[in-house]
């Protein structure tokens, strides 16, 4: 393990939430090799003041300016994050008197509060009713009003600006190796397959087939592709069990040196929930136990209602563990049906170690403004949650039904989305539904996935499951602070 740079955080004035400031900074510290501790030569001065010209700091100190406006925004306002500037210079919570300051090592905007608001989906928390079912659409979130046409990794940019400023004033860089290398280019993609459908030998996947044809006709408006699904299904009908691609996925990914997770549901509480009975596949017709033996991961796919129910996820976790006879650590909410204020407490209550539900159903990109795993923060109790969030930036169905891409366009789009992850050494998840990889859903989208994986492998990008990353993530997090 490499040497880390000790950094002290000094508060001047009363911040919006002291614990939240330290917590948010730890995300940067774990990535750049800093350890936050009570006394250190290098100091970050987090100054909550109306008059920055009155602050006296020492040579080599890094200053982040905040004001009482930040606290007011966090507690009272329902507006989106206030942004100043254009393009790369877009800054959150720009200090009212920021223009008076022009010194090296001084950041004139509260980049920490900006990252905190983004990572914790603050706008959504405040503006969406908790009780309603459903998920936030991209246009309902704060981005468009702030002038963004797609989600951007702003939380990363803002936190990184602290490290860039530190470099400018001569703080030593930390050479990263060993576990630290987790967040170095070319980055990591966590491969995930939500299992929303499983056929039986009796029905030959007929219900899914009918829906797939309708999807081509109504949603994708393509008679040609509907016809392709029909002719492929006719062939598959006599050869195998259509819409069950689990074995193929495991074989092909193993061949590519990749590992992934499969998210299964175990309860049917709502008409939108999958209808399969997992225990039947686990101890019967298909031996899903094989997946675990081969190193693949099984996660909970929380049923439609579970993410908004008290104890719902915990109950389903127990159910899944009973079927598998082993413990599980990961989760994704079916349809992303959750509210940020109630969802994370439920994940914590279920004692899950990580979740992968933060992303949009109708848009690719980083919904929480980050291309890295993060620890959500409990704003009510002013303390971090115990779970990791590994955000997702891509989902096959979004590409097929919202963007209505051809398989070729989908591939270009995926590469475009993954490029910034590669460049920054990020770590995000992507979703390709298991039934999609049977080739009988959106024609060509199975091939898109395999071509994508080969491309990523050739670029040296790590292709793995969430569980495998947890030990290094935990270790880096632990090292980001010294009490
Ligand atoms: Zn699902």
């Amino acid at each position: 393990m490499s040497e880390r740079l000790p950094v002290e955080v000094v508060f001047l004035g009363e911040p919006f939430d002291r614990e939240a400031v330290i917590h948010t900074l730890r995300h940067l510290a774990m990535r750049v090799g800093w350890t936050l501790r009570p006394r250190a030569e290098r100091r970050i001065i987090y100054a909550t003041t109306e008059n920055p010209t009155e602050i006296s700091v020492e040579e080599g100190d890094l200053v982040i300016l905040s004001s009482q406006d930040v606290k007011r925004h966090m507690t009272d306002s329902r507006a989106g994050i206030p942004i100043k500037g254009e393009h790369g210079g877009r800054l959150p919570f720009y200090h009212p008197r920021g223009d008076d300051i022009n010194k090296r090592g001084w950041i004139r905007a509260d980049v920490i509060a900006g990252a905190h608001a983004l990572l914790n989906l603050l706008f959504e928390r405040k503006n969406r009713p908790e009780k309603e079912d459903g998920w936030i659409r991209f246009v309902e979130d704060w981005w468009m009003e702030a002038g963004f046409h797609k989600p951007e990794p702003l939380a990363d940019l803002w936190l990184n600006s602290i490290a860039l400023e530190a470099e400018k004033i001569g703080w030593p860089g930390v050479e990263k190796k060993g576990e630290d290398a987790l967040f170095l280019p070319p980055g990591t993609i966590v491969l995930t397959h939500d299992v929303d459908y499983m056929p039986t030998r009796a029905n030959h996947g007929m219900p899914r087939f009918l829906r797939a044809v309708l999807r081509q006709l109504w949603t994708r408006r393509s008679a040609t592709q509907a016809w392709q699904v029909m002719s492929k299904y006719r062939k598959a009908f006599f050869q195998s069990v259509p819409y069950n691609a689990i074995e193929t996925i495991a074989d092909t990914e193993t061949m590519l040196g990749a590992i992934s997770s499969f998210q299964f549901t175990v309860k049917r509480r709502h008409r939108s929930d999958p209808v399969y009975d997992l225990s039947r596949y686990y101890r019967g017709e298909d031996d899903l136990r094989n997946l675990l033996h081969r190193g693949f991961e099984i996660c909970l796919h929380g049923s439609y209602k579970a993410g908004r129910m008290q104890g719902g996820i915990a109950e389903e976790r127990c159910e899944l563990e009973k079927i598998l006879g082993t413990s599980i650590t990961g989760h994704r909410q079916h349809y992303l049906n959750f509210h940020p204020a109630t969802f994370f407490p439920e994940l914590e209550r279920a004692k899950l170690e990580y979740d992968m539900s933060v992303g949009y159903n109708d848009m690719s990109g980083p919904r929480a403004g980050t291309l890295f795993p993060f620890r959500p923060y409990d704003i009510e109790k002013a303390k971090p949650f115990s779970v990791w969030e590994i955000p997702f930036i891509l989902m096959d169905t979004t590409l097929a039904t919202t963007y209505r891409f051809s398989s070729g366009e989908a591939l270009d789009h995926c590469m475009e989305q993954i490029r910034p992850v590669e460049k920054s050494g990020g770590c995000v998840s992507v979703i390709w539904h298991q039934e999609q990889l049977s080739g009988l859903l959106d024609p060509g989208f199975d091939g898109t996935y395999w071509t994508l994986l080969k491309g990523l492998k050739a670029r040296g990008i790590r292709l793995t499951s969430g569980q495998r990353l947890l030990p290094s993530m935990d270790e880096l997090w632990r090292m980001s602070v010294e009490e």
Side-chain angles (χ1 to χ4, degrees):
M1 193 65 44
S2 49
E3 279 294 302
R4 302 183 73 81
L5 182 73
V7 173
E8 178 181 350
V9 182
V10 178
F11 289 98
L12 295 183
E14 198 45 40
F16 69 94
D17 178 340
R18 196 174 283 249
E19 183 77 21
V21 170
I22 297 288
H23 178 75
T24 310
L25 255 179
R26 285 181 77 175
H27 292 88
L28 175 69
M30 73 185 278
R31 301 204 283 261
V32 297
W34 293 351
T35 296
L36 309 181
R37 49 182 269 189
R39 289 272 168 274
E41 189 189 332
R42 314 290 171 181
R43 304 195 310 165
I44 292 175
I45 314 292
Y46 183 93
T48 311
T49 174
E50 304 315 299
N51 189 4
T53 51
E54 281 176 359
I55 304 173
S56 74
V57 299
E58 287 166 26
E59 181 83 22
D61 282 345
L62 192 151
V63 182
I64 298 169
L65 291 180
S66 185
S67 69
Q68 285 305 320
D69 292 353
V70 174
K71 192 174 195 141
R72 272 193 292 275
H73 178 93
M74 297 295 177
T75 48
D76 306 332
S77 169
R78 292 177 66 179
I81 302 167
I83 305 261
K84 190 183 156 105
E86 296 277 315
H87 309 292
R90 286 178 292 207
L91 288 168
F93 300 108
Y94 192 80
H95 196 281
R97 295 188 55 186
D99 287 341
D100 301 351
I101 305 283
N102 197 358
K103 290 187 224 176
R104 224 159 234 257
W106 286 57
I107 296 173
R108 297 181 282 188
D110 194 342
V111 287
I112 296 179
H116 166 80
L118 261 174
L119 295 179
N120 293 290
L121 311 173
L122 203 67
F123 179 83
E124 184 180 345
R125 276 180 80 110
K126 289 176 172 179
N127 289 284
R128 272 184 79 79
E130 265 179 46
K131 296 275 174 262
E132 249 168 50
D133 258 0
W135 50 89
I136 194 165
R137 291 181 302 135
F138 173 75
V139 293
E140 295 164 331
D141 216 334
W142 71 286
W143 299 99
M144 295 284 272
E145 205 145 310
F148 298 91
H149 297 284
K150 58 185 176 56
E152 305 273 356
L154 292 178
D156 299 344
L157 278 174
W158 294 339
L159 289 177
N160 281 346
S161 72
I162 302 171
L164 287 175
E165 208 56 46
E167 205 183 303
K168 281 191 211 157
I169 55 171
W171 290 25
V174 178
E175 198 202 326
K176 285 174 273 182
K177 43 188 168 192
E179 240 111 62
D180 282 346
L182 175 62
F183 297 134
L184 283 180
T188 303
I189 301 293
V190 174
L191 304 174
T192 70
H193 307 289
D194 291 358
V195 183
D196 286 351
Y197 184 79
M198 285 292 277
T200 62
R201 285 190 193 282
N203 73 16
H204 282 269
M206 184 60 86
R208 192 71 193 91
F209 163 68
L210 295 173
R211 279 181 50 210
V213 172
L214 281 181
R215 167 148 144 183
Q216 299 313 318
L217 291 174
W218 292 102
T219 315
R220 286 174 58 79
R221 292 178 206 151
S222 169
T224 324
Q225 298 198 340
W227 180 250
Q228 283 172 7
V229 172
M230 285 191 264
S231 77
K232 281 190 113 179
Y233 179 78
R234 208 179 47 194
K235 280 184 212 143
F237 188 87
F238 297 106
Q239 286 163 0
S240 53
V241 187
Y243 294 102
N244 180 352
I246 288 179
E247 191 90 25
T248 315
I249 296 171
D251 289 347
T252 318
E253 286 181 352
T254 303
M255 219 166 62
L256 290 168
I259 280 288
S260 63
S261 68
F262 292 81
Q263 285 65 243
F264 286 98
T265 53
V266 287
K267 275 245 185 292
R268 187 159 158 80
R269 303 183 195 263
H270 183 266
R271 62 189 155 73
S272 297
D273 281 327
V275 289
Y276 59 80
D277 171 9
L278 178 66
S279 53
R280 176 172 179 168
Y281 294 92
Y282 197 70
R283 296 206 181 83
E285 18 185 305
D286 292 303
D287 193 4
L288 292 191
R289 264 171 300 189
N290 240 332
L291 278 181
L292 294 174
H293 289 149
R294 298 173 70 177
F296 287 85
E297 181 183 350
I298 291 183
C299 295
L300 177 65
H301 197 28
S303 72
Y304 189 81
K305 290 268 183 198
R308 291 170 176 273
M309 260 175 79
Q310 259 199 15
I313 300 174
E315 188 192 326
E316 294 183 10
R317 181 204 171 141
C318 287
E319 183 86 10
L320 180 57
E321 291 187 340
K322 222 166 67 196
I323 296 171
L324 303 181
T326 179
S327 62
I328 58 148
T329 49
H331 177 264
R332 177 176 293 117
Q333 178 60 39
H334 183 45
Y335 275 99
L336 317 179
N337 178 23
F338 69 85
H339 190 282
T342 49
F343 182 55
F344 293 103
E346 285 304 315
L347 291 169
E348 188 169 70
R349 182 202 287 245
K351 298 195 174 62
L352 284 153
E353 287 181 48
Y354 78 101
D355 173 74
M356 303 180 284
S357 310
V358 175
Y360 292 106
N361 271 321
D362 65 345
M363 179 73 95
S364 304
R367 169 168 162 189
T370 186
L371 299 172
F372 290 88
F374 63 96
R375 305 278 305 263
Y377 183 81
D378 190 338
I379 293 165
E380 268 82 55
K381 293 189 183 145
K383 65 160 195 61
F385 286 112
S386 60
V387 284
W388 280 103
E389 179 62 41
I390 303 179
F392 80 86
I393 59 162
L394 277 173
M395 171 156 70
D396 59 334
T397 40
T398 313
L399 310 185
T401 61
T402 312
Y403 291 100
R404 285 200 232 123
F405 284 146
S406 68
S407 53
E409 289 166 342
L411 182 63
D412 294 343
H413 176 84
C414 290
M415 288 312 292
E416 210 173 284
Q417 296 295 319
I418 291 175
R419 219 157 279 136
V421 180
E422 182 184 17
K423 217 171 135 198
S424 60
C427 170
V428 293
S429 70
V430 303
I431 308 171
W432 229 266
H433 286 77
Q434 87 80 20
E435 60 268 37
Q436 181 74 268
L437 288 161
S438 68
L440 299 166
L441 199 52
D442 301 302
F445 273 62
D446 49 338
T448 301
Y449 180 74
W450 299 122
T451 312
L452 176 67
L453 248 56
K454 283 176 203 149
L456 300 180
K457 184 187 153 81
R459 300 168 90 99
I461 295 173
R462 198 187 288 112
L463 305 171
T464 188
S465 74
Q467 196 169 37
R468 298 225 172 173
L469 299 171
L470 286 174
S472 342
M473 274 153 51
D474 285 338
E475 177 65 0
L476 281 175
W477 184 254
R478 195 190 55 72
M479 289 190 307
S480 66
V481 76
E482 192 185 302
E483 298 304 338

